[in-house]
Amino acid sequence: MSAMFNGDSDYQSVIDKINKVNSHGLMHKLSIPQLAIVGDQSSGKSSVLEALTQLSFPRDKGMCTRFATQVNLRRNPALQEEVLSAKIEGEDEFNKRHESVKPATFHALIKGAVALLCQASDISDKVLELTLSGPNQSPLTVIDLPGFINTTLDGQDKSLPETIRAINRRYIQEPRTIIIAVVQANVDLNTSRALCEAAEHDPEGLRTIPIVTKPDRIEPGQVQDWVEVVLNRSKTMKRGYLVMRNAGVGQEGLSWEESRVEEDKFFGSGLWNAVPTDRKGRVAVRKFLGTLLFEHISKELPGLKREIDAALDAYKKDLKGMGTPIATTDEARERLSDAILDMQPRVISFLNADYDRDYVPAFKHKEIPSSGLDPFFVRSSLLRQYNEYRLVMEKEYNRIPRSKIVLQIARYKGNDLPGFVSFTTFKNIVNGHYLDGWEKITRTHVREMHRHLTEAISGYLGHTADATTRDVFTHVFDRFSRQQFQKIEETIKDIYEDESTPFTLSRVYQETREKLLKERPKSTITTSRHDPPVIDTSRVSIDSPPLSSFGTPQPSQNGWPESPQLTQQQMVDENDENTANEFIPCLTAYLKTARERIVDKVLMETLERHMIKRIKEYFVMLSKLNNTELQCMLESPTLKRKRHDLETKIDDFDHILNDL
């Protein structure tokens, strides 16, 4: 043996560090550097484990590996003889009984572990940890996994093959696990389930080392083929092959040393002599695996420490995020009062785009949704939505064609004089053809703006509030938002109710109307008797002479054109056209004035008034919660378990870092 196996303290220290990590039950929470032995059932896996550990593992079917077994070999010069201990997480009585026993009791120990772990099923996902310590022991840690099977016996659970595969997969899929795949030489190498599973989780073969067993049972004509395999010339493996000879038929009672002698004789002659000595036999294999594990752990240890550090920081952050636990409603009220004083000015600043110094760095790199509405910087998003609403209203106000307006004038008029449009007709056109559509547009846009604003504020509360107050903050805000939206709906109704009676003293209306009237040039009319007159009133001047539906006016002696004789119906149509000429500029000017007034009122009196300016009412609602409503701030059993779990992990990881 090398000096390393004669007590190299650094080597033993490295192995012990990883074993301590495993002792904290973190094998499946972190990827631990380890060796895992896998193989098909009856592939000789137990013999390999026995050869490596000098522990005589049972081979009968009832006692074959039915759970993962971690074997730790430790050198302890202080001991006079070898001592065996066994431990199963959560089984205190078993652990106490097997804290220190003689290796000779190993069979009884395994029998007791099987009875304990497999009393309700054929297999268990718990781990039996064995530690064999002695003055001359070679340090090594390996994990023996249940053998793969393809079918079940009568009375066995039909899901057993998949259960075994799932247990083994938990180990071999870990990137820091070296897979020791046991394959028997008297079967086709390509049928090995162990190699197939290893290839699935280690496709490049960087973590897989096959150990060939039962070489003495190969047909004479196939020995050279298997020698070529072990020499890595047939099925190439990145880390090569190892080979061991199991006890032959009739040699089951041989001691470990006697078996070693027989093995050396077998490999020292014939074709197997071509295999390098460091790749064959139990002594060479144990030394090879020990060196491999030492180098593997040494390489992976720095990265493992970084992962533990990162995990520890994450656990501490999660625990801090949970806040200090609250036990009574009095504590809850005091905590909530303090939180209100802290949160109110911050929410107001958030709504006014006055972000604090920590907020912008935290969210400036967040991806903006495809909608373009940024929930993290809500004021800019609101302004965008306000402008979109304004633009839609601008497009909508002038959507009715002139010909339809002419028809509506004729339809709504009563005893109006020719050329005159009554206030009632004006009102009917404004209400029936503009306000109804505007109100629908307004409600749709305001609803969407309210939804976005609500989500943004809820998100800010969730990001900013302490974990103990976060739920009550968001719950009460949801109630406040729904309450305010009802008020917003009522405000919209009031705005359009006020607008249902046209009224304005705006100079904008007067100036727009006069401008439209003055800009009207003389128009042309159709000469067809069969087509209705088409007059572009936007181009008709208030100073234009009377128009005829029969053609271009002809000048008379006094300068005015003389119109042809008209029928009574033509005179009515002519009056409606002329009335429209005067009416449309008035309507257009009023719609522009009303639209701008409505847009401003909607934006100022809905979201800005009820959601933003009155946000303080939300905090008043929070301050008035009764004791029943404050119960939600008390730590629930689920949160208590989560807190305990985090505290346990932090304690374990702190100890691990100290051990490493």
Side-chain angles (χ1 to χ4, degrees):
M1 292 185 186
S2 67
M4 178 180 69
F5 289 97
N6 289 324
D8 190 303
S9 59
D10 289 341
Y11 179 83
Q12 184 68 67
S13 174
V14 166
I15 300 292
D16 286 346
K17 285 178 180 180
I18 295 303
N19 289 341
K20 285 181 179 180
V21 172
N22 284 336
S23 70
H24 289 285
L26 301 176
M27 186 181 301
H28 301 301
K29 298 174 184 175
L30 293 169
S31 182
I32 306 298
Q34 59 191 354
L35 303 182
I37 299 180
V38 296
D40 299 353
Q41 197 173 80
S42 302
S43 63
K45 189 164 57 66
S46 295
S47 296
V48 170
L49 201 61
E50 178 180 335
L52 294 176
T53 64
Q54 298 188 33
L55 291 171
S56 181
F57 281 81
R59 291 180 175 81
D60 60 278
K61 291 190 179 296
M63 298 294 288
C64 282
T65 307
R66 297 168 67 182
F67 40 79
T69 303
Q70 177 179 325
V71 183
N72 308 315
L73 304 181
R74 295 195 75 256
R75 183 178 184 277
N76 187 348
L79 295 176
Q80 298 299 316
E81 59 182 3
E82 290 185 335
V83 175
L84 180 65
S85 66
K87 182 171 64 174
I88 300 173
E89 186 177 0
E91 303 293 345
D92 295 339
E93 184 179 342
F94 177 90
N95 298 343
K96 185 175 182 181
R97 188 165 64 250
H98 299 93
E99 189 173 359
S100 179
V101 298
K102 292 183 178 298
T105 66
F106 181 62
H107 271 247
L109 187 157
I110 292 293
K111 186 176 181 180
V114 170
L116 177 64
L117 297 179
C118 302
Q119 54 185 328
S121 62
D122 293 313
I123 199 159
S124 172
D125 61 357
K126 284 197 170 185
V127 180
L128 170 65
E129 182 180 353
L130 302 171
T131 300
L132 181 62
S133 303
N136 300 310
Q137 194 59 256
S138 301
L140 181 67
T141 293
V142 294
I143 299 173
D144 180 39
L145 299 176
F148 292 109
I149 61 175
N150 293 319
T151 187
T152 57
L153 301 176
D154 292 343
Q156 287 185 322
D157 186 349
K158 299 302 180 184
S159 65
L160 187 58
E162 185 56 36
T163 301
I164 292 174
R165 185 184 181 197
I167 291 174
N168 292 351
R169 189 186 299 127
R170 288 165 52 191
Y171 291 85
I172 64 179
Q173 70 183 2
E174 293 296 333
R176 291 195 175 103
T177 296
I178 298 294
I179 305 169
I180 310 301
V182 177
V183 293
Q184 60 191 89
N186 58 339
V187 299
D188 188 350
L189 190 66
N190 293 321
T191 65
S192 169
R193 185 68 177 272
L195 282 180
C196 289
E197 292 289 332
E200 180 179 342
H201 299 286
D202 178 32
E204 296 184 9
L206 299 176
R207 300 187 289 113
T208 303
I209 303 178
I211 294 184
V212 177
T213 61
K214 304 181 182 181
D216 54 328
R217 301 184 188 181
I218 303 173
E219 294 292 332
Q222 297 179 354
V223 174
Q224 183 60 48
D225 293 339
W226 276 97
V227 170
E228 292 295 312
V229 168
V230 175
L231 290 174
N232 211 18
R233 296 171 181 170
S234 180
K235 181 180 175 62
T236 305
M237 299 296 293
K238 292 285 178 59
R239 291 181 175 270
Y241 289 78
L242 302 170
V243 61
M244 296 175 63
R245 178 182 180 274
N246 307 63
V249 178
Q251 297 180 338
E252 292 82 359
L254 294 181
S255 67
W256 186 90
E257 182 58 29
E258 290 171 336
S259 295
R260 182 193 65 78
V261 172
E262 292 295 321
E263 186 181 44
D264 287 347
K265 290 180 181 178
F266 177 81
F267 285 127
S269 61
L271 296 174
W272 291 105
N273 196 41
V275 177
T277 56
D278 62 347
R279 290 274 174 169
K280 61 186 179 182
R282 64 194 61 199
V283 174
V285 168
R286 184 164 68 172
K287 181 179 179 181
F288 180 92
L289 294 181
T291 303
L292 174 66
L293 182 61
F294 172 72
E295 293 174 348
H296 182 53
I297 293 174
S298 299
K299 175 185 175 184
E300 297 292 339
L301 208 54
L304 180 62
K305 286 181 179 180
R306 288 192 296 271
E307 289 182 14
I308 293 173
D309 265 326
L312 185 58
D313 288 342
Y315 292 145
K316 288 180 177 180
K317 182 178 179 180
D318 288 346
L319 184 62
K320 182 180 179 181
M322 293 183 69
T324 306
I326 299 174
T328 67
T329 53
D330 288 339
E331 289 182 25
R333 190 172 300 281
E334 182 178 354
R335 183 76 60 82
L336 182 60
S337 297
D338 291 341
I340 290 172
L341 291 175
D342 175 62
M343 288 294 293
Q344 181 171 321
R346 298 174 72 174
V347 171
I348 292 173
S349 295
F350 170 72
L351 293 175
N352 291 326
D354 184 16
Y355 308 109
D356 60 56
R357 61 180 298 178
D358 295 329
Y359 186 82
V360 173
F363 292 99
K364 66 181 181 180
H365 297 300
K366 292 285 186 179
E367 184 177 352
I368 298 176
S370 57
S371 65
L373 301 177
D374 191 344
F376 307 108
F377 299 93
V378 68
R379 174 52 73 177
S380 63
S381 296
L382 274 181
L383 291 176
R384 175 172 177 169
Q385 288 182 300
Y386 289 170
N387 193 52
E388 288 175 354
Y389 168 60
R390 178 184 63 80
L391 291 174
V392 171
M393 290 288 283
E394 282 184 355
K395 293 178 182 178
E396 283 294 316
Y397 90 92
N398 199 24
R399 75 181 189 280
I400 299 178
R402 179 187 181 284
S403 59
K404 191 170 183 179
I405 293 177
V406 173
L407 292 176
Q408 300 309 322
I409 291 174
R411 184 179 187 185
Y412 297 140
K413 71 181 179 180
N415 296 323
D416 305 337
L417 295 174
F420 177 78
V421 177
S422 69
F423 179 76
T424 301
T425 300
F426 185 87
K427 176 181 175 182
N428 289 337
I429 292 176
V430 170
N431 286 332
H433 298 280
Y434 290 95
L435 290 187
D436 286 350
W438 288 356
E439 185 171 359
K440 291 177 182 178
I441 292 169
T442 297
R443 290 188 183 278
T444 299
H445 279 260
V446 171
R447 186 181 300 111
E448 180 61 22
M449 288 187 281
H450 174 266
R451 184 193 63 79
H452 173 65
L453 180 59
T454 297
E455 291 178 354
I457 297 176
S458 294
Y460 182 80
L461 293 171
H463 167 73
T464 311
D466 177 84
T468 56
T469 59
R470 186 177 297 128
D471 287 345
V472 70
F473 266 112
T474 54
H475 176 72
V476 174
F477 179 73
D478 181 63
R479 193 197 327 165
F480 168 79
S481 178
R482 283 185 276 110
Q483 170 186 297
Q484 296 305 102
F485 186 68
Q486 291 179 353
K487 295 179 180 179
I488 288 172
E489 292 268 80
E490 293 170 2
T491 298
I492 294 174
K493 180 180 178 182
D494 290 341
I495 289 173
Y496 280 94
E497 184 69 28
D498 292 342
E499 291 293 337
S500 65
T501 302
F503 177 81
T504 183
L505 294 178
S506 170
R507 291 184 60 84
V508 173
Y509 166 73
Q510 297 289 351
E511 293 170 355
T512 303
R513 175 179 173 276
E514 292 173 4
K515 181 180 179 182
L516 291 173
L517 289 171
K518 290 179 179 179
E519 287 180 350
R520 295 180 305 169
K522 293 182 179 181
S523 65
T524 60
I525 58 177
T526 181
T527 59
S528 172
R529 288 181 174 271
H530 303 288
D531 296 331
V534 179
I535 303 175
D536 183 2
T537 57
S538 66
R539 308 293 295 175
V540 176
S541 169
I542 193 172
D543 298 321
S544 299
L547 300 176
S548 167
S549 61
F550 289 93
T552 305
Q554 300 298 319
S556 63
Q557 292 181 353
N558 59 12
W560 287 95
E562 292 186 3
S563 300
Q565 294 295 317
L566 304 177
T567 66
Q568 184 175 1
Q569 181 59 47
Q570 289 169 337
M571 291 179 65
V572 172
D573 294 340
E574 182 79 6
N575 286 333
D576 289 342
E577 291 286 349
N578 290 334
T579 301
N581 291 342
E582 297 296 326
F583 175 76
I584 288 178
C586 298
L587 178 63
T588 303
Y590 181 77
L591 292 177
K592 178 183 178 186
T593 303
R595 173 185 55 77
E596 293 179 352
R597 179 171 63 211
I598 289 173
V599 169
D600 285 344
K601 288 177 71 175
V602 166
L603 298 181
M604 292 299 297
E605 297 179 14
T606 56
L607 294 174
E608 292 293 331
R609 173 185 292 175
H610 295 294
M611 288 293 292
I612 296 177
K613 291 183 178 178
R614 293 183 180 170
I615 193 67
K616 292 181 180 179
E617 295 179 9
Y618 157 63
F619 291 99
V620 173
M621 290 174 64
L622 283 167
S623 67
K624 292 183 177 180
L625 295 180
N626 57 41
N627 287 345
T628 301
E629 293 171 312
L630 290 174
Q631 288 286 334
C632 67
M633 292 181 61
L634 306 186
E635 191 160 67
S636 66
T638 301
L639 286 178
K640 286 181 181 178
R641 287 193 295 271
K642 180 180 178 181
R643 184 184 297 276
H644 179 264
D645 184 49
L646 286 172
E647 290 172 342
T648 300
K649 288 178 179 177
I650 290 171
D651 184 62
D652 286 341
F653 277 54
D654 274 331
H655 280 93
I656 290 171
L657 282 179
N658 290 333
D659 292 338
L660 293 179

